[in-house]
Structures are given as structure tokens and as C-alpha cells.
Amino acid sequence: MLKRRVIASIFVKDGLAVQSLGFSRWLPIGDPAVAAEFFNHWGADEIFLVDLSARRDRRGPDLDLIERVSRACFVPVTAAGGLEDVEMVHDVIAAGADKVAVNSAGLRDPSLIARIADRFGSQCAIQALDVKNQQVVIDAGNKPTGLSPLIAAQQAAQAGAGEILLQSVDRDGCRQGYDIALLAEIAEAVDLPVIALGGCGHPGHVVALFSQTQVSAAAIGNMLNYAEHSILLIKAALVQTGMSVRNDSYADYADMVQDEQGRLALVAASRLDELYFQHIPEEVI
Amino acid sequence: MIAIVDYGAGNLSSVRHALHRIGAQVTVAHCAGDLLAADGIVLPGVGSFGQAMIQLVARDFVAPLQELVGRQAKPLLGICLGMQLLAEHSTEGGDHRGLGLIAGRVERIVTEPGLVIPHVGWNEVVWRADTRLGQGAHDGAHYYFDHSYCLLAEAAIVAGTVNYGVTLVAAIESDNILAAQFHPEKSQNHGLRLIKRFVEEVAASC
């Protein structure tokens, strides 16, 4: 059966991968291509690449960034940030993206989604919705639209979107968990896959998201940068609660215990010794 | 040399990276002439059937593909929409004829209530052991799917299936044609293994 996805988000500002806090503060992480390489190895089901600087000066997407990041990814890459017309979508896919997410432009003009779907297929066209104080906001969280998330999601579905990405501005960087109530409502009401983003602080939050809502995917940003194998730890937590995920890695942490904060419990020295001498040859295709 | 067909859409870059990773020499075919020198052809995905066929017709790809792949048996790998385009007909974006290189048609996925369309994410393919693709594949392997339409084809050419409330065709093979509904270029090692199989068949055919 289809597995739910754990999506690694990389937010890029002026070419640098950053942690995002409430859409208003950004802390540097490093090279986005390096982050992508790690996430690709750590079991990410998709990469979500957001160029926060793309809208400035209306220069359009940074194709070089997309090319460098997607080169390392043998999982799908969704590109987002300042996408305003079908030609930009074409360029972004030619540069290495496999899907795109439109935000403000798609809300101002839903026919954009229809035009992207017409040329690239609806499955390629994601409508991203930023939600603050229970309403949809655009222009990097600065402008309220007066639209409810539900109406916006339904409009996007009607326009031919393939997926909805629902991001909570309020919870961005808060590490207190996803907005479960909102996500449960939207996922239930809309006949499209819903991707949740905003607030994930530890693996338990993804467990709660998947147990309490029908979303198809958990997108995670900041938290993935706090620990090695972060995505693998999330998947291990999901498996331990009985959920199925896709895992192609030998590092399944199956016999290891995490506390509620997602920290691994101390492992016996004898077990560490065993791991130390276990040789896992890299598969050469 | 493997040529990837450019029909105005398609995730050409991703396909190119995967082929490079396997060590193949790759070019992008912007017109039929670019296909003549190729030892193998890839028809990529990420598009819409209606627009893709309109472009294939406008760019004069249809007859050359039918000749090279259908009659001269040049190896072809179809990916996602690229597999669907091989069929005779699709209802996506209106009523459209396909390339007719395999018997079959494409229709919108109909599945259990509660399962949303598109079918997107990683899902397990059940392979037929007596097929070329099946022999190279691992049990329980997951591949990345992202589609709202599916291929309906004869069992004889179906090499792999996937369950999404209903059984869907995941991969087909027929003489010189290998094709997948999922994206092998975006399915990590399991996908790269399939692409490698194609590259090897191209090399063997030269």
C-alpha cells in the first residue's frame, strides 16, 4: 500500500540554507546542496526546496540553486518560491525540479494552477497555503487574504492542483508540533493529498500528525538539522508505533529507544561495539 | 548514446542525472533527427497526455518513434506519462490518440472512496518473477509514484503491479520496450537498478 511521506524542507535565503522562525527571523545553516545530500541519504521521501529570496526584485527562481540541489537527489524535488507563470515552471523543471509549489501567484490567479496542470500535469502543480491566525496569507506571510484555509484549498482543488501544502506561519520554528486541528479539518474535507508543514520539533509530532489526521505527508524544516539521521529517527518512531513507512536504509534504529523528545536512550557498550565492527558495504548500482 | 525525447515538458534534468549516474552517455532529442543516431530512447514523464501528444505531433516525433521503436526495435524506456504515451488512447485532457506502440489505453484512476487522487508517494511494486524487470528487482521494493491516470493493458506485457485500493499497472515490458508508471529516476537505488537494466539492454543491442 501507499506509504505516507516524510518530506525534507530546505529554506534558502540569498543562496544559504536557513532555519525559519515565524517567517520573520532566519538563522543560517549552510550550503543547501549539502543539506540535500544528507537528506537524500537519510531517507527523505521527497525534498521541498523553497527559495525565500526569489520574489525580491522579481528576478524569478534561482535555477543554478535548483540545479545544484537536485543533482544530489534521487528522490523527487519540489521547487517553490516566487513562481508566477508557466515559463518559470518550465525553467525550474528543466533545471532539475520534478514538481512545483505555487503560493501567492496561484491564489491571486487560480488559472495559473490550471495552466501548469495543462502542460505539466496536475500532479506537478502543488498549491501552497500559508496560514496565520486561521486565515490564508500571501506575500511571504505579510498580506492577509481573508480566505479561510478550507475555501482556499477547495478552490485550488477545483483549479486542478495535484496536492495542497498547508504551512502554519504561527508554528513556523516553534517546535511545539503541527496544527493538528486545522490539518485534520482540511485533509478530511479536501479530495487531494495534503502535505503538512510548520512546527515539527521531534519525531513524536510526526507520529501525532499521522495518527490524528489524514494528511499524506509530513514536511519538516528546521528540526532535520539538529541530529544526524534525523529522518531515519522519525521513521523509526513511526515504525515503533505500528505505522508503515518506506525505509531503504540499513539504519532503521529498530532496536533503539527514543524518549518523547526524540533523543536516543543510552545504548549498551556491548551493542555499540557490535555496531562498530559491522561492515555495511555501499551498494554500487 | 541514449536520447531523451523533449516534448516541451518532462523532467529531463532528473532523467539525465540518473542516466549519468549509471554511466550512460546522454543527449536530449529536440527533433526526430536527434533520435536517428541514438542507440536507445527515453520518453520521460511529468506532463499531461493531451499537451504531450500535441507537441509530439507538432515536433514531428510520432512517425519516427513508430518507425524506430515499433518497426526497427530500438530500445525504449518509458517513464510515467512516457509509459502512458505508448498506449493507443487516453482520456486525460480530452480524447487523445497515443503513439500506439503498445496495446492498451489510459484512463483516470478509479479506486476506493477515501483514497485521494493523484496516487502520490512511495508504494510497493509486486514483480512478475519471469520478466526481465522482475528478475532484477528486490522483493518489497518501493518506488515513487505520482499520477492521476493509469494504463490498462493486457496481462501479457505487465511486469509489475502496485496496489492503491485497486491493482494498477506499475511496469510493462515488451520486446524492446521497458516502461514504468513510477519514476525510476526518483526512486533511489531500486529505481536506478531498473535504469541500469535499460542501459545494459541498449548496450547489448548495439
Side-chain angles (χ1 to χ4, degrees), chain A residues 38-40 61 65 68 89 96 98 110 125-126 182 198 202 212 235 239 247 259 269:
Chain A
F38 279 131
F39 298 151
N40 196 52
L65 166 72
R68 280 190 313 111
V89 172
D98 305 287
I126 299 172
L182 173 66
H202 59 73
Q212 295 169 43
K235 289 193 169 184
V239 167
N247 190 0
D259 68 11

Side-chain angles (χ1 to χ4, degrees), chain A residues 1-3 5 40-41 44-46 67 70-71 73-77 90 93-99 117-124 162-163 190-193 214 216 246 248 283-285, chain B residues 8-14 16-18 21-22 46-48 51 92 114-124 138 142 144 146-148 163-165 185-190 192-193 196:
Chain A
M1 241 334 241
L2 185 69
K3 303 299 180 291
R5 294 165 278 161
N40 196 52
H41 283 127
D45 294 318
E46 289 181 24
E67 199 277 321
S70 55
R71 206 190 293 161
C73 299
F74 292 100
V75 295
V77 174
H90 172 269
I93 291 178
D98 305 287
K99 294 196 262 188
D118 188 54
R119 185 161 171 196
F120 296 100
S122 64
Q123 78 294 328
C124 175
E163 298 180 78
V190 176
D191 263 338
L192 286 182
Q214 290 174 40
S216 301
R246 165 223 154 214
D248 288 330
E283 183 180 11
V284 176
I285 305 289
Chain B
N11 60 339
L12 303 174
S13 194
S14 295
R16 202 174 45 228
H17 283 146
R21 178 81 161 62
I22 302 298
V46 184
S48 155
Q51 268 310 306
E92 184 184 13
L115 290 178
V116 292
I117 305 294
H119 170 220
V120 50
W122 294 80
N123 204 340
E124 184 179 344
H138 290 195
H142 284 66
Y144 187 86
D146 195 356
H147 60 123
S148 309
N163 182 299
Y164 188 51
E185 78 285 11
K186 294 272 124 171
S187 295
Q188 291 282 21
N189 285 0
H190 295 300
L192 291 174
R193 213 171 284 119
K196 184 175 187 187

Side-chain angles (χ1 to χ4, degrees), chain B residues 34-92:
Chain B
D34 295 339
L35 293 178
L36 294 174
D39 305 304
I41 298 170
V42 177
L43 202 51
V46 184
S48 155
F49 198 104
Q51 268 310 306
M53 278 313 299
I54 287 169
Q55 284 302 315
L56 285 170
V57 167
R59 298 172 188 219
D60 281 324
F61 269 123
V62 178
L65 281 169
Q66 289 166 339
E67 169 62 28
L68 292 168
V69 179
R71 280 182 283 279
Q72 292 181 27
K74 193 160 285 209
L76 178 121
L77 174 66
I79 297 174
C80 194
L81 173 66
M83 174 175 90
Q84 296 175 357
L85 289 168
L86 302 176
E88 290 154 325
H89 178 267
S90 173
T91 55
E92 184 184 13

Side-chain angles (χ1 to χ4, degrees), chain A residues 94-132:
Chain A
D98 305 287
K99 294 196 262 188
V100 296
V102 297
N103 194 328
S104 307
L107 286 161
R108 290 198 159 94
D109 177 11
S111 81
L112 173 61
I113 287 275
R115 282 178 281 121
I116 296 170
D118 188 54
R119 185 161 171 196
F120 296 100
S122 64
Q123 78 294 328
C124 175
I126 299 172
Q127 175 65 58
L129 300 171
D130 295 334
V131 180
K132 188 172 181 172

Side-chain angles (χ1 to χ4, degrees), chain B residues 158-176:
Chain B
V158 176
T161 58
V162 65
N163 182 299
Y164 188 51
V166 289
T167 300
L168 300 172
V169 170
I172 58 163
E173 66 183 50
S174 168
D175 300 318
N176 53 309

